[in-house]
């Protein structure tokens, strides 16, 4: 397991009781380097959406626990936020919750001469994702070929 994965898993373990106590959902935790700085990001959600006050409350408790545990060697910036409108689907629970929803999919390698698709998520398993389009045609995509899959949104 990489250091990044260890940090993410340990943070998730600290965070789960905090969000469950508040009846929130822990969507994801990531430890990433951007523009020369490390970020520890926690994405939380709840029915009706997360507020800034919700994020602040979780951030304060998590920050104190991270200071106590002190397992992250690098200097980092802690961010607690909503996953946003176009939230990526990463975990099984994300896919299960999104069955029947419109999703945008970006691929590493073109399928049928396209790298981007928008369709209804009809099915998924550990190896594939199945989309259905307006004309009722379906497309089965190998998961390792998916660069990004997220909920679609229109304005």
């Amino acid at each position: 397991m990489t250091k990044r994965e260890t940090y993410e898993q340990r943070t998730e373990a600290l965070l789960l009781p905090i969000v469950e106590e508040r009846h929130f959902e822990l969507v994801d935790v990531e430890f990433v380097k951007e523009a020369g700085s490390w970020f520890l990001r926690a994405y939380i959600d709840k029915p009706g959406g997360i507020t800034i006050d919700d994020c602040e409350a979780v951030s304060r408790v998590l920050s104190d626990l991270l200071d106590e545990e002190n397992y992250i060697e690098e200097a980092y910036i802690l961010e607690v936020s909503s996953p946003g409108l176009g939230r990526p689907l990463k975990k099984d629970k994300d896919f299960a919750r999104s069955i029947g929803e419109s999703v945008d999919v970006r691929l590493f390698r073109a399928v049928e001469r396209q790298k981007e698709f928008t369709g209804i998520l009809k099915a998924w398993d550990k190896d594939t994702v199945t989309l259905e389009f307006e004309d009722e045609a379906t497309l089965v995509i190998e998961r390792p070929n998916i660069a990004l899959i997220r909920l679609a949104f229109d304005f």
Side-chain angles (χ1 to χ4, degrees), residues 24 44-58 80-82:
F24 298 166
I44 59 175
D45 206 359
K46 70 177 182 186
I50 285 292
T51 68
I52 291 173
D53 291 339
D54 296 332
C55 293
E56 181 182 359
V58 170
V80 176
S81 69
S82 160

Side-chain angles (χ1 to χ4, degrees), residues 78-137:
L78 175 63
E79 294 180 349
V80 176
S81 69
S82 160
L85 287 175
R87 73 193 281 178
L89 309 182
K90 294 183 177 183
K91 299 179 180 182
D92 288 347
K93 66 180 180 178
D94 299 330
F95 285 93
R97 178 182 43 244
S98 301
I99 290 290
E101 298 289 332
S102 182
V103 294
D104 292 326
V105 180
R106 187 174 310 136
L107 305 178
F108 290 115
R109 293 176 315 281
V111 171
E112 299 176 6
R113 297 189 184 142
Q114 280 185 249
K115 281 188 152 184
E116 294 186 7
F117 295 90
T118 299
I120 303 298
L121 180 63
K122 292 308 273 187
W124 61 273
D125 61 31
K126 67 180 183 65
D127 300 314
T128 63
V129 169
T130 303
L131 299 181
E132 182 177 86
F133 302 102
E134 287 181 7
D135 63 2
E136 296 184 12

Side-chain angles (χ1 to χ4, degrees), residues 10 14 94:
R10 288 188 70 181
L14 288 176
D94 299 330

Side-chain angles (χ1 to χ4, degrees), residues 30-42 59 62-63 66 72 74-80:
E30 63 181 9
F31 187 71
V32 295
K33 192 170 193 176
E34 294 177 0
S37 297
W38 283 100
F39 291 85
L40 178 61
R41 292 190 177 119
S59 179
L62 178 59
S63 180
L66 288 167
I72 300 177
E74 295 81 5
Y76 63 91
I77 298 165
L78 175 63
E79 294 180 349
V80 176

